[in-house]
Amino acid sequence: MFAGKKTDNLGIDWKSFYRTVIALVIPMALQNLINVGVTAADVIMLGAVGETALSGASLAGQIQYIMTLFLFGLTSGATVLTAQYWGRGDREAIEKILGMAVKAAVFVTALFTAAALVIPGHLMMIFTSEPPVIAEGVRYLRIVAFTYIMIGVTQAYLYIMRSVERVVVATVVYLLSLLCNIVMNSIFIFGLLGCPAMGVRGAALGTLCARILEVLLVAGYAHLFNKDIKLRLKYIFHTDRVLFGDFMKYALPVVINEVMWGLGTAANTAILGHMGQAAVAANSVAQVARQLATVVSFGLSSAAAIYLGKTIGEKKMEHAREYAKRFIFLSLVMGVAGGLVILASAPLALGFLSLTATARGYLKMMFFVMSYFVVGQAFNTTMVVGIFRSGGDTRFGLILDVSTMWCCSILCGFLAAFVFKFSVPVVYIILMSDEIIKIPVTGVRYRTYKWLKNVTRDRPAPVS
């Protein structure tokens, strides 16, 4: 398959295909890894401080997690259009979509900022009923809330840049942000260089410093280096109605899809949160392990959306079919590799973190479950986020996640935890069953080829 032969009828240069895919996947996988590294830095450092601080910051982080799903939905919906318009060479349309995405991102993040500052305690009580954990989470939220709008602007800009194959800039920005976060976390959490030891507030302050750096770097790149796609104020304040209609048509289902999926993940966390602090601490570590093991898979799904979207925009439908098959194969390879990474990392996590005996037992079980969960997640994410969305098939993912998560795994997990009083391992296995249920459904959808559509519009040539 990797020999590089051309197909008999389409003349596809597979060596060129794999070179391009690798050039897209590696920077985006690094971006995903770096983003996970920000969370991992908090988990590792706060894990050394204590279980209560770790649990509080982890649960408070669920607020930002839900917010970033709104952002991911907005930007993913926007890239459905921008990738195809990139294939057509219509830069003006892309700039207008970028303006809409930034404006929407600021609106969403402002709402989350207000909620985190005004009612932090009520937000924490959604995820846990333990007062010490709530108190630590509130301390974290009151500082980290000031990063939300900055996250919205940078994510909207960088994700649109990714859709037009400008993937390296985000890698550089997030890498420098990670390094800043690690250094500032160390100083503020443990009280280095004469600073007082701030614990969970130090983790939040380190994150704030890193996000400020991200904004400065993005602003510098946009002003000094990016000559192709500009962020223009006129497109932020004045919306193209036709493009806005398309944006809402394809972005809104993705936003709802990502939010429902994110709320589902948060619901899983909330269910475990009410089963004890040990379950929360173990799950926070297991989730970081899952994120680390899927960085390449998620990068692959993003590469599929960009590559296939551009191909469809160029009106090469048969090429898109063949490319999609290769992305499916690669997703399975990356999923199995991710599962092996999780199994191999379990002893390291158990040896490093300061967890109670109960939490350690839970963590062993969770790592085993995650080892097969990530295989299904790699396949389904490449299908739904990569292949289906590249052709504008954004509603299917919404229907799929609502039915498999909310009507199956979460409902059954809730009943198992609070009605039948099953143990944490049994509840966890049920909660993590949705990705396995999705596999045959996404396979059937793929074979219908209903996802393969050109969603761009013929537009007047821009005036030079």
Side-chain angles (χ1 to χ4, degrees):
M1 170 164 279
F2 294 91
K5 291 183 178 180
K6 295 181 179 180
T7 58
D8 293 336
N9 56 345
L10 297 177
I12 298 174
D13 185 346
W14 288 111
K15 283 186 177 179
S16 177
F17 168 79
Y18 286 114
R19 282 197 299 268
T20 304
V21 170
I22 290 171
L24 289 172
V25 169
I26 290 178
M28 289 189 288
L30 287 174
Q31 292 167 34
N32 294 334
L33 179 61
I34 291 164
N35 287 333
V36 174
V38 174
T39 303
D42 286 350
V43 168
I44 292 171
M45 293 184 189
L46 290 175
V49 172
E51 202 169 279
T52 302
L54 171 60
S55 298
S58 174
L59 294 178
Q62 292 297 308
I63 310 303
Q64 179 177 316
Y65 173 69
I66 295 171
M67 180 192 75
T68 55
L69 288 167
F70 274 96
L71 296 175
F72 184 71
L74 287 169
T75 53
S76 294
T79 56
V80 171
L81 295 168
T82 54
Q84 290 198 15
Y85 276 114
W86 183 243
R88 291 186 58 145
D90 191 340
R91 286 177 168 79
E92 183 185 18
I94 296 170
E95 290 181 347
K96 290 180 177 181
I97 296 166
L98 173 60
M100 287 185 281
V102 169
K103 179 164 60 176
V106 170
F107 175 76
V108 168
T109 52
L111 293 178
F112 276 86
T113 300
L117 291 175
V118 176
I119 52 169
H122 291 83
L123 294 178
M124 287 299 301
M125 283 189 283
I126 297 172
F127 301 103
T128 182
S129 56
E130 299 186 23
V133 177
I134 292 173
E136 290 292 295
V138 168
R139 293 188 185 99
Y140 186 84
L141 277 176
R142 283 178 173 160
I143 297 174
V144 84
F146 291 101
T147 70
Y148 290 169
I149 293 177
M150 291 183 279
I151 291 171
V153 173
T154 56
Q155 183 168 321
Y157 182 84
L158 293 174
Y159 272 58
I160 297 297
M161 290 304 103
R162 287 188 358 174
S163 72
V164 297
E165 301 178 281
R166 301 294 192 272
V167 294
V168 176
V169 59
T171 305
V172 174
V173 168
Y174 288 133
L175 176 59
L176 294 175
S177 172
L178 171 63
L179 295 175
C180 175
N181 193 49
I182 292 173
V183 171
M184 293 303 176
N185 267 12
S186 301
I187 293 172
F188 295 135
I189 291 175
F190 301 114
L192 305 180
L193 302 178
C195 292
M198 300 175 66
V200 73
R201 289 179 296 174
L205 193 56
T207 300
L208 176 60
C209 293
R211 299 307 184 191
I212 292 172
L213 178 62
E214 286 179 13
V215 170
L216 295 176
L217 291 171
V218 166
Y221 170 79
H223 181 66
L224 300 175
F225 300 104
N226 187 2
K227 306 302 181 183
D228 294 322
I229 306 297
K230 293 288 188 178
L231 176 59
R232 303 183 190 275
L233 289 177
K234 65 179 180 179
Y235 293 147
I236 294 177
F237 294 106
H238 301 285
T239 301
D240 184 313
R241 292 186 179 182
V242 174
L243 280 176
F244 179 73
D246 290 340
F247 178 82
M248 293 302 294
K249 179 179 179 180
Y250 297 108
L252 188 59
V254 180
V255 172
I256 299 173
N257 181 190
E258 294 299 333
V259 171
M260 292 301 293
W261 183 82
L263 289 175
T265 304
N268 291 342
T269 302
I271 290 171
L272 293 169
H274 289 284
M275 298 187 76
Q277 185 170 307
V280 173
N283 184 54
S284 66
V285 178
Q287 290 301 320
V288 171
R290 175 190 62 79
Q291 292 170 353
L292 287 170
T294 55
V295 291
V296 178
S297 297
F298 284 6
L300 182 68
S301 69
S302 298
I306 294 167
Y307 199 96
L308 292 175
K310 182 181 179 182
T311 303
I312 295 169
E314 293 170 340
K315 301 181 180 179
K316 298 178 179 179
M317 299 305 185
E318 291 302 318
H319 288 70
R321 288 187 182 220
E322 294 300 317
Y323 295 149
K325 292 178 184 178
R326 300 300 174 102
F327 279 115
I328 292 171
F329 172 76
L330 292 173
S331 74
L332 293 174
V333 172
M334 292 301 102
V336 172
L340 294 175
V341 167
I342 286 180
L343 291 176
S345 63
L348 296 175
L350 290 167
F352 182 81
L353 297 174
S354 300
L355 300 175
T356 63
T358 301
R360 292 171 65 85
Y362 291 158
L363 187 59
K364 290 180 182 178
M365 172 273 303
M366 290 177 180
F367 268 53
F368 173 75
V369 173
M370 281 297 174
S371 69
Y372 65 79
F373 177 88
V374 296
V375 179
Q377 188 170 56
F379 175 81
N380 293 321
T381 302
T382 298
M383 284 287 207
V384 175
V385 177
I387 295 173
F388 298 164
R389 288 183 187 173
S390 71
D393 187 15
T394 58
R395 294 182 183 178
F396 174 77
L398 171 60
I399 297 170
L400 180 68
D401 281 338
V402 170
S403 59
T404 57
M405 289 189 73
W406 288 96
C407 299
C408 292
S409 62
I410 293 174
L411 175 60
C412 293
F414 177 85
L415 294 174
F418 303 119
V419 177
F420 300 108
K421 307 296 183 181
F422 289 159
S423 64
V424 169
V426 173
V427 171
Y428 191 79
I429 290 171
I430 294 172
L431 291 174
M432 296 295 108
S433 65
D434 60 295
E435 293 292 349
I436 307 305
I437 298 170
K438 291 177 187 177
I439 291 174
V441 183
T442 53
V444 170
R445 182 66 174 186
Y446 167 77
R447 287 190 292 272
T448 66
Y449 290 102
K450 292 181 179 179
W451 53 270
L452 190 58
K453 295 179 181 178
N454 189 321
V455 299
T456 61
R457 294 177 181 269
D458 291 325
R459 293 163 36 81
V463 179
S464 58

